[in-house]
Amino acid sequence: MNDSGSPINLVHRYFEQQSELFGEGFFSGKALVKPFLIRDDSEYKVNRRDITVNNSETLDNLYETIKDCTKCALGETRNMFVFGVGNPTADIMFIGEAPGRDEDLKGEPFVGRAGKLLDKMLESIGLNRDIVYIGNILKCRPPQNRDPLPTERDLCEPFLIKQIELIKPKLIVALGRVAAHTLLRTDDTLKSLRESTHNYHGIDFKVTYHPAALLRNQKLKYPAWEDLKDIRDNYL
Ligand code: SF4
């Protein structure tokens, strides 16, 4: 029986639309608030096809294993799967939240204006895309570039963890608040997260600004440079 017009489904659809527009909050008419959020995982169960990555011994094996993934609904809407780029034995991994429009079209993380700025940030401490590894938590683009949903994170994060296990970096750098919050399961401020070295699956983990934030606010460039110097002085 089709019950898509039932009150529960209508309420669910409402929150789903709010979530797509405003991340985990919704607009009450006066302010963006973060209430309980109804999530129905059924769409993920429908699409879920378990993928075992334990046998992947190289990044190429892993890519072949997961490149057609449809474990979550983003697998149905992506243009391109965005695995990651760079040195398979990099000492430093930079991780963003998810592909955006340009990345989804090109199949590569951090392209477009933010990507060009990331390249300049790397150059400023003697690095480039061939020396480091760059990836995202989610391999497929969320609609309207909304934040990753916890369900999507939970389904996709094992792929990132496997990438880390294969690359064995000395340091992981989260680019931006959303990547840091998603991986560290915290809602601490970006400022406070930048002040410490964290741990993610046994690897040192630091947080800095997303290059798109630096494009929006020039004043953040100096503290971002401080973060880069800290990385250069302690990990290169
Ligand atoms: S976002 Fe991750 S879990 Fe979802 S379909 Fe893409 S690769 Fe699979």
Side-chain angles (χ1 to χ4, degrees):
M1 187 175 71
N2 183 351
D3 62 350
S4 60
S6 72
I8 286 184
N9 277 336
L10 289 173
V11 169
H12 169 249
R13 183 62 199 136
Y14 169 76
F15 280 108
E16 196 176 63
Q17 286 169 340
Q18 293 293 316
S19 172
E20 286 184 2
L21 287 169
F22 301 116
E24 289 195 38
F26 75 94
F27 192 65
S28 71
K30 290 183 180 168
L32 188 65
V33 295
K34 285 196 168 189
F36 70 96
L37 190 60
I38 296 175
R39 285 208 181 89
D40 177 354
D41 286 348
S42 58
E43 64 179 311
Y44 295 106
K45 285 180 186 134
V46 168
N47 288 312
R48 186 173 295 173
R49 179 173 65 84
D50 279 341
I51 295 178
T52 304
V53 294
N54 291 343
N55 295 334
S56 300
E57 290 177 356
T58 65
L59 286 177
D60 286 345
N61 292 153
L62 179 63
Y63 171 79
E64 288 301 325
T65 305
I66 69 176
K67 67 182 170 54
D68 299 317
C69 176
T70 53
K71 275 169 70 180
C72 81
L74 303 182
E76 307 290 346
T77 54
R78 69 175 171 234
N79 281 302
M80 292 192 73
F81 176 85
V82 183
F83 182 69
V85 291
N87 179 354
T89 58
D91 283 341
I92 304 182
M93 268 182 94
F94 289 84
I95 300 176
E97 63 201 69
R101 187 187 55 131
D102 293 331
E103 291 76 19
D104 177 57
L105 292 173
K106 200 167 176 197
E108 185 175 333
F110 288 92
V111 293
R113 283 181 72 216
K116 286 194 174 66
L117 181 55
L118 177 61
D119 290 342
K120 284 188 185 161
M121 291 163 69
L122 295 176
E123 273 171 32
S124 72
I125 54 170
L127 298 174
N128 61 46
R129 282 181 186 242
D130 295 331
I131 297 175
V132 301
Y133 196 90
I134 302 172
N136 282 305
I137 301 166
L138 300 188
K139 313 302 185 204
C140 310
R141 182 194 182 197
Q144 287 88 45
N145 294 346
R146 63 156 169 73
D147 295 350
L149 299 176
T151 313
E152 293 159 356
R153 174 201 65 200
D154 292 347
L155 290 170
C156 212
E157 194 177 19
F159 301 156
L160 176 66
I161 293 168
K162 187 67 189 181
Q163 282 175 300
I164 292 167
E165 195 183 305
L166 293 169
I167 294 167
K168 300 183 181 62
K170 286 186 205 156
L171 174 69
I172 293 167
V173 182
L175 293 167
R177 175 186 57 84
V178 176
H181 284 182
T182 305
L183 292 175
L184 295 177
R185 273 66 162 177
T186 179
D187 57 5
D188 288 353
T189 63
L190 189 63
K191 182 174 181 299
S192 74
L193 290 170
R194 286 179 48 245
E195 285 165 358
S196 312
T197 302
H198 312 269
N199 187 287
Y200 182 76
H201 290 265
I203 312 280
D204 282 3
F205 185 101
K206 285 186 170 286
V207 179
T208 190
Y209 295 98
H210 194 287
L214 305 184
L215 289 172
R216 286 193 298 269
N217 185 352
Q218 300 278 325
K219 286 186 188 156
L220 299 179
K221 285 192 174 173
Y222 183 74
W225 168 236
E226 294 286 313
D227 294 343
L228 290 168
K229 276 196 299 182
D230 177 58
I231 292 168
R232 180 192 65 193
D233 295 346
N234 291 293
Y235 293 92
L236 296 180

